[in-house]
Amino acid sequence: MNAAIKIRDLKKSYGTHVVLNGLDFCVRQGEIFALLGVNGAGKTTALECIEGLRKYDSGDITINGRIGIQLQSASLPAHIKPLEAVKLFAKWNKTALDKAMLDALGIYEFAKKQYAQLSTGQKRRLHLALALTRNPDILFLDEPTAGLDVEGRLALHEQIRQLKATGKTILLASHDMAEVEALCDRIAILSGGKIAFIGTVEQLGKTVGKHYNITIQTERRTEKYASDNIGETLLSLLTRYKENGESIVDIQINRGSLEQHFMKIAKGKY
């Protein structure tokens, strides 16, 4: 599959502090790709370099197509109205107003409000509409559902899936692991200024091992255990409880979450 974005040996430092130390990855055309990292890992710096918002020290960035950027926040005038903002962006980009897109995002529902009066969810939808005024091939979404309630997140997730269905490539940055798991085809995890992992969520689980969380409840207490070998651990625990004469009331076994896998990779503990 052709690459929409290619990053090779990207480096960026602030004084003596190295943030990106030879970043290498590519985003395939038509996929939803997540760039993840703990605070300070360089995720935002990497995105801003790719978007052209920040200068980098060295390396190569190749973008194959028009881009649209939805930032976490926008410096729109407090009194501007949504349609006024969309028309202004369309004029800047020399594009026609896409009424179908505005209708799909529900912009007309709050078109008469001023920007300062919009809810967080309405602002997120407006920011996305502004990013789409160029009819971009590649869309950058930085924490697209931050601050939204459950209903708002689900609605925006569906809109993101519809954008993918039209063939758009989406590069997503998010702290919401459930969102990443629900939307993304592949993920990349930044650690130490480099890519520590790249692949699918399923591949991430295989990379860090089959981590299990076990909860055993007896008539007197509840205890929790962690294991990478479920068979041996369960056999050992059941034998111990039997030898101690403790009757087991309930056993619960859960696979490690995406967030747990992510933290292992991000902190170099795999």
Side-chain angles (χ1 to χ4, degrees), residues 36-41 175 188-197 204 208 258-270:
L36 309 176
V38 296
N39 290 335
H175 284 96
I189 299 175
L190 267 172
S191 180
K194 294 185 177 183
I195 298 295
F197 170 84
L204 175 60
V208 299
L258 175 59
E259 186 169 1
Q260 290 171 323
H261 296 330
F262 160 69
M263 292 305 296
K264 275 191 174 183
I265 293 277
K267 293 187 175 182
K269 294 181 179 179
Y270 68 99

Side-chain angles (χ1 to χ4, degrees), residues 125-190:
R125 283 190 277 164
L126 175 58
H127 297 164
L128 182 55
L130 298 178
L132 290 169
T133 54
R134 292 187 67 197
N135 188 25
D137 306 297
I138 304 166
L139 192 59
F140 292 86
L141 304 180
D142 192 358
E143 302 289 348
T145 61
L148 299 187
D149 58 20
V150 174
E151 184 179 0
R153 285 200 302 273
L154 293 176
L156 195 51
H157 286 177
E158 182 55 33
Q159 289 163 350
I160 291 171
R161 292 189 186 96
Q162 290 175 8
L163 289 170
K164 179 193 173 181
T166 65
K168 296 191 185 301
T169 302
I170 298 172
L171 178 53
L172 170 74
S174 175
H175 284 96
D176 186 340
M177 293 298 108
E179 176 170 271
V180 169
E181 192 164 12
L183 291 175
C184 297
D185 299 299
R186 292 190 304 143
I187 62 176
I189 299 175
L190 267 172

Side-chain angles (χ1 to χ4, degrees), residues 86 98-107 128-130 132-133 163:
V86 172
D98 188 341
K99 295 182 179 179
M101 178 268 289
L102 296 177
D103 187 50
L105 290 175
I107 304 299
L128 182 55
L130 298 178
L132 290 169
T133 54
L163 289 170

Side-chain angles (χ1 to χ4, degrees), residues 9-82:
D9 199 26
L10 186 64
K11 295 181 180 180
K12 173 65 179 178
S13 298
Y14 299 106
T16 59
H17 177 53
V18 178
V19 180
L20 303 178
N21 190 20
L23 205 60
D24 286 283
F25 69 93
C26 72
V27 180
R28 299 165 184 163
Q29 288 183 355
E31 75 171 340
I32 301 178
F33 184 95
L35 187 60
L36 309 176
V38 296
N39 290 335
K43 178 179 79 272
T44 298
T45 296
L47 284 176
E48 290 177 349
C49 290
I50 298 169
E51 293 164 349
L53 300 177
R54 186 175 298 277
K55 292 183 179 180
Y56 51 95
D57 301 330
S58 61
D60 294 308
I61 298 175
T62 304
I63 306 289
N64 295 315
R66 298 183 304 275
I67 70 170
I69 304 171
Q70 181 205 33
L71 301 175
Q72 284 194 55
S73 59
S75 299
L76 291 174
H79 301 299
I80 196 170
K81 295 180 180 179

